[in-house]
Short mmCIF file of all heavy atoms in Angstrom, two decimals:
data_model
loop_
_atom_site.label_atom_id
_atom_site.label_comp_id
_atom_site.label_asym_id
_atom_site.label_seq_id
_atom_site.Cartn_x
_atom_site.Cartn_y
_atom_site.Cartn_z
N SER A 25 27.92 35.00 -30.47
CA SER A 25 27.83 35.56 -31.80
C SER A 25 27.95 37.08 -31.72
O SER A 25 27.61 37.67 -30.74
CB SER A 25 26.51 35.14 -32.41
OG SER A 25 26.36 33.87 -32.61
N GLY A 30 25.02 39.84 -22.63
CA GLY A 30 25.01 38.83 -21.60
C GLY A 30 26.24 38.80 -20.87
O GLY A 30 27.14 39.54 -21.00
N VAL A 36 35.99 26.59 -13.61
CA VAL A 36 37.18 25.73 -13.83
C VAL A 36 37.38 24.70 -12.74
O VAL A 36 37.62 25.16 -11.61
CB VAL A 36 38.52 26.59 -14.00
CG1 VAL A 36 39.71 25.78 -14.30
CG2 VAL A 36 38.23 27.71 -15.06
N ARG A 40 40.80 14.74 -10.42
CA ARG A 40 41.81 13.71 -10.54
C ARG A 40 41.50 13.12 -11.82
O ARG A 40 40.40 12.96 -12.37
CB ARG A 40 41.72 12.62 -9.57
CG ARG A 40 42.23 13.06 -8.12
CD ARG A 40 42.24 11.93 -7.12
NE ARG A 40 40.84 11.78 -6.71
CZ ARG A 40 40.50 11.14 -5.70
NH1 ARG A 40 41.50 10.43 -4.96
NH2 ARG A 40 39.28 10.91 -5.40
N THR A 75 43.22 16.72 -15.91
CA THR A 75 43.22 17.37 -14.50
C THR A 75 42.18 18.49 -14.42
O THR A 75 41.87 18.98 -13.33
CB THR A 75 44.46 17.90 -14.11
OG1 THR A 75 44.86 19.04 -14.94
CG2 THR A 75 45.59 16.89 -14.13
N LYS A 90 21.92 34.14 -11.34
CA LYS A 90 21.68 33.93 -9.97
C LYS A 90 20.45 33.16 -9.67
O LYS A 90 20.30 32.38 -8.74
CB LYS A 90 21.69 35.31 -9.32
CG LYS A 90 23.09 35.87 -9.16
CD LYS A 90 23.05 37.23 -8.50
CE LYS A 90 24.48 37.81 -8.37
NZ LYS A 90 24.46 39.07 -7.75
N ARG A 94 20.13 29.51 -7.80
CA ARG A 94 19.57 29.41 -6.46
C ARG A 94 18.32 28.73 -6.43
O ARG A 94 17.80 28.28 -5.35
CB ARG A 94 19.34 30.86 -6.06
CG ARG A 94 20.43 31.59 -5.67
CD ARG A 94 20.15 33.06 -5.23
NE ARG A 94 21.36 33.88 -5.06
CZ ARG A 94 21.48 35.07 -5.08
NH1 ARG A 94 20.42 35.90 -5.29
NH2 ARG A 94 22.63 35.79 -4.80
N THR A 95 17.52 28.48 -7.61
CA THR A 95 16.17 27.98 -7.64
C THR A 95 16.01 26.71 -8.47
O THR A 95 15.16 25.98 -8.27
CB THR A 95 15.17 28.95 -7.96
OG1 THR A 95 15.47 29.41 -9.27
CG2 THR A 95 15.20 30.18 -7.07
N PRO A 97 16.19 23.16 -9.63
CA PRO A 97 16.48 21.77 -8.93
C PRO A 97 17.53 21.17 -9.67
O PRO A 97 18.47 20.36 -9.11
CB PRO A 97 15.25 21.08 -8.81
CG PRO A 97 14.23 21.73 -9.74
CD PRO A 97 14.73 23.13 -9.93
N ALA A 102 23.00 19.04 -9.59
CA ALA A 102 24.26 18.86 -10.30
C ALA A 102 25.45 19.46 -9.47
O ALA A 102 26.57 18.97 -9.43
CB ALA A 102 24.17 19.48 -11.72
N GLU A 108 31.21 16.24 -5.13
CA GLU A 108 31.69 14.95 -4.84
C GLU A 108 32.88 14.60 -5.70
O GLU A 108 33.58 13.62 -5.35
CB GLU A 108 30.55 14.07 -4.82
CG GLU A 108 29.49 14.38 -3.80
CD GLU A 108 28.17 13.45 -3.93
OE1 GLU A 108 28.25 12.63 -4.96
OE2 GLU A 108 27.22 13.81 -3.22
N PRO A 115 35.26 29.49 -9.99
CA PRO A 115 34.25 30.17 -10.78
C PRO A 115 34.48 31.60 -10.97
O PRO A 115 35.03 32.31 -10.03
CB PRO A 115 32.96 29.93 -10.02
CG PRO A 115 33.38 29.91 -8.57
CD PRO A 115 34.77 29.26 -8.55
N ASN A 116 34.05 32.19 -12.13
CA ASN A 116 34.12 33.62 -12.34
C ASN A 116 33.18 34.03 -13.35
O ASN A 116 32.73 33.08 -14.29
CB ASN A 116 35.55 34.12 -12.66
CG ASN A 116 35.94 35.47 -12.12
OD1 ASN A 116 34.98 36.14 -11.89
ND2 ASN A 116 37.24 35.68 -12.01
N VAL A 123 33.57 40.71 -29.84
CA VAL A 123 33.57 39.41 -30.41
C VAL A 123 34.15 39.54 -31.75
O VAL A 123 33.85 40.44 -32.61
CB VAL A 123 31.99 39.08 -30.67
CG1 VAL A 123 31.99 37.70 -31.50
CG2 VAL A 123 31.30 38.73 -29.32
#
Side-chain angles (χ1 to χ4, degrees):
S25 299
V36 180
R40 289 186 287 192
T75 64
K90 287 183 179 180
R94 291 180 182 157
T95 63
E108 296 169 2
N116 213 336
V123 176

